[in-house]
Amino acid sequence: MVNGIIERYRDRLPFAPGDPVVSLGEGNTPLVLAPRLSERAGVEVWLKLEGANPTGSFKDRGMTTAVSAAVREGATAVVCASTGNTAASAAAYAARAGLRCAVVVPEGNIAMGKLAQALVHGARVIALKANFDAALTLVRELVERQPISLVNSVNDFRLQGQKTAAFEVVEALAGELDAVCLPVGNAGNITAYWLGFTESGRRPRMLGFQAEGAAPLVRGAPVEHPTTIASAIRIGNPARWEEAMDAMRSSGGTVAAVSDGQILEAYRFLAGAEGIFCEPASAAGVAGLLAHGAQDARRVVCVLTGHGLKDPEIAVGNAAGAISCEPELSALERAVLQ
Ligand SMILES: *Cc1c(COP(=O)(O)O)cnc(C)c1O
């Protein structure tokens, strides 16, 4: 049996033996060397495949801890605002725990795979006529009035769970790494990685990347109407703003922006040249590495935060279509060899 992150790292997490654990066996994700990307970037690049978590994104690391803590506190329901992956993960872990779950997503702006997950796990899916930032503000007010547990990354248990990805990277590379590239949306994950690295006594440069149309940390001011094809980082006013800036500053890192064109180019490169299918937001870290470099780093880890199947519409919409073929050998031969 493969244990989840609470069992594996209990001595470094706020859970005592005997506490309830709601787990789907998350964590322990692959860290793979990327030879073609390394060649292009001029540094040794490793990819942390967080899409290999049970619901297909790193959010599961924070959800096992947030939902387990909610059960320990006696909660009967959880809620979150989400661009999609938090909703998918909350819905799955709530189903596992037997809790009610409501997810608030921006109407018409959630990737198909993520919507499917939230629905199939039985969450109440609320399509808010507003963007993520407005959704988060409203659910924060809601939990002031109702006995419902908030499982967004403003919940510290989320960061505690997510920091375990840094532990795994340190273990896999024996602590030898110089920089980490991450996409930044609500800025919880980069904050959690830095927490995990500092607890491990390591200080790699934290390089955060935002989409050009949703880059409040780069601009130094909230973005009222964030836009990007990378829906998981379409966020204009990150909740973990100060902590994320502190992580980048104290590690000697930076935050920079990448265009949607650069994100899609990196996305296609990873799929076509490395055999790794991530979602568009996840490719922002790689796009950032290719566009901005990694300063003096020799070994870099790029975190691929979510699986490509989350957003099939972007994948199909940006690829050559299937080739139609008559059921005859000669036609098939032509179609295959063309
Ligand atoms: C949530 C998410 C992000 C952004 O993480 P933050 O903690 O919000 O900065 C990036 N990529 C994917 C796939 C995500 O689901």
Side-chain angles (χ1 to χ4, degrees):
M1 198 197 114
V2 179
N3 287 326
I5 57 142
I6 296 179
E7 303 290 355
R8 288 173 61 218
Y9 296 110
R10 192 188 292 273
D11 57 334
R12 290 184 262 177
L13 291 172
F15 291 90
D19 282 353
V21 173
V22 182
S23 172
L24 293 166
E26 59 293 314
N28 199 17
T29 55
L31 182 69
V32 301
L33 185 63
R36 301 218 167 78
L37 177 57
S38 299
E39 200 180 303
R40 241 186 103 175
V43 290
E44 186 183 304
V45 186
W46 294 76
L47 302 172
K48 182 70 170 157
L49 306 189
E50 288 292 281
N53 276 296
T55 78
S57 85
F58 74 83
K59 299 296 198 298
D60 295 345
R61 292 180 187 275
M63 208 53 74
T64 183
T65 42
V67 171
S68 296
V71 169
R72 185 170 62 188
E73 287 152 19
T76 57
V78 295
V79 68
C80 65
S82 178
T83 61
N85 280 332
T86 298
S89 190
Y93 282 80
R96 182 82 174 175
L99 300 179
R100 290 193 301 143
C101 177
V103 303
V104 184
V105 299
E107 186 174 54
N109 273 317
I110 167 170
M112 191 57 75
K114 305 175 187 182
L115 178 61
Q117 289 177 291
L119 291 170
V120 82
H121 289 302
R124 183 179 285 262
V125 178
I126 296 140
L128 195 72
K129 296 177 192 304
N131 64 23
F132 170 85
D133 301 288
L136 182 57
T137 302
L138 278 174
V139 295
R140 289 178 90 156
E141 287 172 22
L142 177 75
V143 299
E144 295 293 316
R145 298 161 54 102
Q146 301 292 335
I148 307 175
S149 186
L150 180 63
V151 294
N152 278 104
S153 59
V154 295
N155 177 332
D156 284 328
F157 286 104
R158 281 278 309 275
L159 301 197
Q160 287 293 317
Q162 287 169 212
K163 77 182 180 186
T164 61
F167 296 165
E168 291 177 16
V169 167
V170 169
E171 286 163 26
L173 299 175
E176 296 296 322
L177 74 156
D178 308 307
V180 180
C181 297
L182 279 155
V184 177
N186 213 25
N189 208 31
I190 196 162
T191 303
Y193 267 82
W194 182 237
L195 181 63
F197 284 121
T198 49
E199 286 184 11
S200 306
R202 309 288 162 174
R203 304 178 66 82
R205 293 184 196 280
M206 304 304 295
L207 306 177
F209 297 101
Q210 301 200 289
E212 229 165 54
L217 299 186
V218 181
R219 288 160 189 259
V223 174
E224 205 182 335
H225 301 292
T227 56
T228 166
I229 47 116
S231 58
I233 52 172
R234 192 184 291 144
I235 293 175
N237 193 9
R240 296 282 183 175
W241 187 307
E242 294 305 328
E243 293 102 315
M245 291 310 293
D246 176 65
M248 291 183 270
R249 227 179 280 120
S250 355
S251 67
T254 51
V255 62
V258 285
S259 69
D260 279 5
Q262 288 170 320
I263 290 173
L264 282 175
E265 200 277 324
Y267 168 84
R268 282 190 293 259
F269 182 77
L270 288 167
E274 298 288 4
I276 292 166
F277 186 24
C278 65
E279 68 171 280
S282 308
V286 172
L289 173 64
L290 290 171
H292 300 280
Q295 302 174 20
D296 53 356
R298 282 174 307 171
R299 181 183 273 174
V300 178
V301 171
C302 292
V303 180
L304 300 185
T305 46
H307 201 287
L309 288 173
K310 292 278 193 175
D311 202 338
E313 285 160 321
I314 295 270
V316 173
N318 284 279
I323 299 156
S324 175
C325 183
E326 295 300 325
E328 289 160 10
L329 183 58
S330 59
L332 180 61
E333 218 163 26
R334 272 198 306 280
V336 169
L337 299 179
Q338 222 166 41

